[in-house]
Amino acid sequence: MADTKREIERKYEATDATRLPDLSRVAGVGRVLEQGVTELDAVYYDTADLRLAQGALTLRRRTGGADEGWHLKFPVATGIRDELHEPLADTLPPSFAALLRSRLRHTEPAPVVRLLTSRDLQHLTDADGTLLAEVSIDTVCAERLAGEGTGTTATWTEIEVELADDGDPAFLDAVEKRLRKAGVRPSDASSKLARALAETAPVRKDKKRKAEDPQTAGDHVLAYVREQIRTIVDLDPAVRRDLPDSVHKMRVATRRLRSAFKTYRKILDREVTDPVGAELKWLAGELGVDRDQEVLDERLTTRVDALPTTLALGPVASRLTAWSAARRTGSRRRITGVLDGKRYLALLDTLDALAADPPLRPAASRAPGKALPRAVLKDYEKLARRMDHALEHPPGPERDTAMHEARKAAKRARYAADAAKPALGKPAKRFAKRVKAVQSLLGDHQDSVVAREALRTLAVQAHAAGETTFTWGLLYGHEEATADRRERELPEVWSRASDPVLRADLEH
């Protein structure tokens, strides 16, 4: 596994004549230690169409400096990136190739830019000698190695301030205040690579046309579809790295995309989208095995932790942990296997092809104010029928099933409204908010149903092992009470979501 660190840094414009102000006067700084000048030679890799750069990712092989080797950086927020490091080698490390597979697919990355950097480095430490930040003046020479502009060079000087591991980001504000007083200003470039690509690109007489805002119903649906496709691709590395909530977010994107194909079938030809939707359902299912267990574990653990110690009889926590571990054994390996498989990569290629050449139907050319509300309201009508069916049943298994079906319809209606928000504005936003409340309530009810099934299984196992089942029965009762509360709350929440005014606003 590659070494990972969170890189928090800021860049500033400089010239050959720029001198750093006295940074020992920054609050918290005890000493400024000169580290000398280091020569760095970095080759950046990408595809011919710069797919990595378009996603703000950087892949480089660098010699020189204490951390020479391969580096892969993923954006987290402005000025914040996760940097992964592998030892120096002649070829791309397999771990990096896996993390980039959703973007590279069947393409090998090749050198696109070379940066030669002369780095004059200082360490800012506190009074105890603890490193607070690294400050460098970097003199950079960039050369384009591939594509248009090959052989073009650019040079510049910049100041870089990087926060030490576990440092307080507020310290960077204090350093910046001192730099600004000395006339130093922030750089417009997000990274050295971004600046190199911009400054070595050929000058075009015909300026690129600015992307036009969506006009038709088809434009809006395609914008939403492409957003979900980008989300799936972007989250692939996070899922492989097992980052928090990444599986859930990727699964949601697959569901949103599949839902959009169903809702907007008057806009996108279902003969094309139905097979794609089937593959998205498969992917969501593969992701869901791990996610569903994760949600259940969190719910049951929270329940157990909330119990007074006097009511936690027997090895409750250890049994829950063992049960969960047994159900999740191999799940990470399975998900990685899915993401490395031919079926998943073929799905990504299909999604790219669909986004590039969408199967638009005649309704796609209509005004969004006509076509989109109809699609949203059609999903609402399906939800209303399922809600009526659920509310007809007395409490029990049949009602549980009916409420689960209504939950799925609520989710689809909410996604439909989310897709229409840019076109329909506040009416769609209000509608989505009310339907989301219904979905959340139904979701908590369904989670209680699943939790009760799990608790019954745990009680049976405890009984077979000669343990008391008191606590499992108590937790089962808590879940029954939760389900009862949600069922009593449902009519009022549904009443707000089914307000005729909401639907009328969508159509006007």
Side-chain angles (χ1 to χ4, degrees):
M1 179 64 71
D3 295 330
T4 305
K5 74 170 186 175
R6 178 60 55 86
E7 178 187 78
I8 303 176
E9 66 178 16
R10 298 182 187 180
K11 295 180 180 294
Y12 302 87
E13 296 290 347
T15 68
D16 292 339
T18 300
R19 297 293 179 268
L20 289 173
D22 182 4
L23 297 178
S24 66
R25 298 177 63 183
V26 174
V29 175
R31 297 183 66 189
V32 178
L33 304 176
E34 297 287 347
Q35 301 298 305
V37 177
T38 302
E39 303 299 329
L40 307 174
D41 185 348
V43 175
Y44 288 77
Y45 288 72
D46 207 332
T47 60
D49 55 357
L50 302 177
R51 287 178 220 160
L52 302 186
Q54 289 170 15
L57 276 69
T58 58
L59 171 65
R60 73 185 178 202
R61 180 184 184 276
R62 190 170 76 182
T63 57
D67 64 343
E68 70 175 7
W70 284 89
H71 301 92
L72 176 58
K73 299 186 181 184
F74 291 97
V76 176
T78 303
I80 304 176
R81 295 186 289 182
D82 278 345
E83 179 179 334
L84 283 66
H85 175 261
E86 288 278 16
L88 195 63
D90 292 334
T91 57
L92 178 66
S95 64
F96 285 6
L99 290 173
L100 295 172
R101 189 159 289 129
S102 66
R103 289 178 170 84
L104 297 179
R105 312 282 172 81
H106 319 287
T107 305
E108 291 292 328
V112 292
V113 167
R114 184 182 186 188
L115 295 183
L116 300 176
T117 303
S118 182
R119 171 164 290 175
D120 189 354
L121 183 65
Q122 295 181 356
H123 282 177
L124 305 185
T125 69
D126 63 14
D128 296 328
T130 301
L131 182 65
L132 300 174
E134 293 184 344
V135 182
S136 65
I137 298 181
D138 293 345
T139 302
V140 185
C141 177
E143 179 185 5
R144 190 77 166 239
L145 301 178
E148 290 185 277
T150 297
T152 305
T153 61
T155 59
W156 69 87
T157 302
E158 67 181 32
I159 295 171
E160 189 173 284
V161 184
E162 182 174 343
L163 192 67
D165 294 344
D166 301 319
D168 183 357
F171 179 70
L172 294 182
D173 294 333
V175 175
E176 180 165 313
K177 184 176 180 180
R178 184 67 182 158
L179 292 173
R180 283 181 176 272
K181 283 186 176 180
V184 177
R185 295 291 177 263
S187 172
D188 292 331
S190 59
S191 67
K192 286 183 174 65
L193 175 61
R195 184 165 185 170
L197 290 172
E199 296 196 10
T200 61
V203 178
R204 298 183 182 278
K205 292 182 180 179
D206 54 325
K207 292 184 179 180
K208 266 190 174 182
R209 288 178 57 190
K210 186 179 178 181
E212 295 181 356
D213 292 333
Q215 300 294 323
T216 65
D219 291 340
H220 284 279
V221 172
L222 284 176
Y224 182 80
V225 164
R226 287 166 177 152
E227 179 186 353
Q228 306 315 314
I229 294 173
R230 283 194 301 271
T231 299
I232 293 170
V233 172
D234 290 349
L235 284 170
D236 178 295
V239 171
R240 293 174 187 273
R241 294 169 61 200
D242 200 15
L243 296 186
D245 213 29
S246 58
V247 171
H248 170 61
K249 290 178 179 177
M250 189 174 188
R251 189 186 186 194
V252 168
T254 64
R255 284 176 162 176
R256 284 181 175 273
L257 188 52
R258 181 166 168 254
S259 182
F261 290 158
K262 289 183 175 182
T263 297
Y264 296 107
R265 61 185 65 187
K266 296 287 187 181
I267 291 172
L268 295 173
D269 190 345
R270 64 179 302 175
E271 287 190 10
V272 176
T273 60
D274 277 359
V276 183
E279 289 301 280
L280 289 168
K281 182 178 181 180
W282 159 77
L283 178 58
E286 293 291 339
L287 296 170
V289 173
D290 193 55
R291 172 59 183 171
D292 289 343
Q293 186 61 39
E294 181 183 322
V295 171
L296 181 58
D297 289 349
E298 183 179 348
R299 188 180 185 96
L300 296 182
T301 300
T302 300
R303 292 287 198 199
V304 170
D305 291 345
L307 285 175
T309 55
T310 54
L311 298 180
L313 305 183
V316 176
S318 59
R319 175 162 294 283
L320 178 58
T321 299
W323 174 80
S324 174
R327 288 170 62 93
R328 294 180 62 137
T329 299
S331 61
R332 294 301 314 167
R333 194 182 312 114
R334 189 196 68 254
I335 288 179
T336 301
V338 168
L339 299 185
D340 285 338
K342 292 181 180 179
R343 184 174 181 179
Y344 169 69
L345 294 178
L347 172 58
L348 294 184
D349 288 341
T350 300
L351 292 174
D352 278 353
L354 186 146
D357 185 18
L360 297 176
R361 299 188 65 195
S365 62
R366 294 174 187 163
K370 295 292 185 183
L372 301 189
R374 290 174 186 168
V376 174
L377 291 175
K378 188 171 182 179
D379 281 348
Y380 163 80
E381 289 166 2
K382 183 175 183 180
L383 168 60
R385 289 194 297 272
R386 291 192 180 182
M387 284 298 303
D388 289 344
H389 181 61
L391 294 172
E392 286 174 356
H393 288 286
E398 289 188 5
R399 188 174 199 180
D400 291 342
T401 300
M403 289 179 70
H404 182 45
E405 291 301 311
R407 176 199 183 191
K408 291 189 283 187
K411 188 177 295 184
R412 180 167 159 184
R414 173 196 163 195
Y415 290 164
D418 285 342
K421 280 180 187 177
L424 306 183
K426 289 183 179 179
K429 186 176 182 180
R430 284 193 295 269
F431 180 86
K433 184 178 180 180
R434 298 281 181 89
V435 174
K436 182 181 178 181
V438 175
Q439 176 197 330
S440 297
L441 187 149
L442 292 171
D444 193 36
H445 181 275
Q446 175 62 17
D447 288 346
S448 78
V449 173
V450 175
R452 276 177 278 159
E453 292 175 357
L455 289 167
R456 185 180 183 282
T457 298
L458 285 161
V460 169
Q461 292 177 354
H463 178 74
E467 300 164 8
T468 176
T469 60
F470 170 81
T471 302
W472 302 116
L474 180 63
L475 294 174
Y476 190 99
H478 285 173
E479 290 295 351
E480 276 191 321
T482 295
D484 180 65
R485 286 195 301 273
R486 297 298 170 261
E487 290 177 16
R488 285 186 279 108
E489 293 166 358
L490 182 57
E492 182 180 348
V493 175
W494 171 238
S495 177
R496 290 197 294 268
S498 57
D499 186 345
V501 174
L502 285 176
R503 305 196 299 279
D505 285 347
L506 279 175
E507 295 179 300
H508 294 86

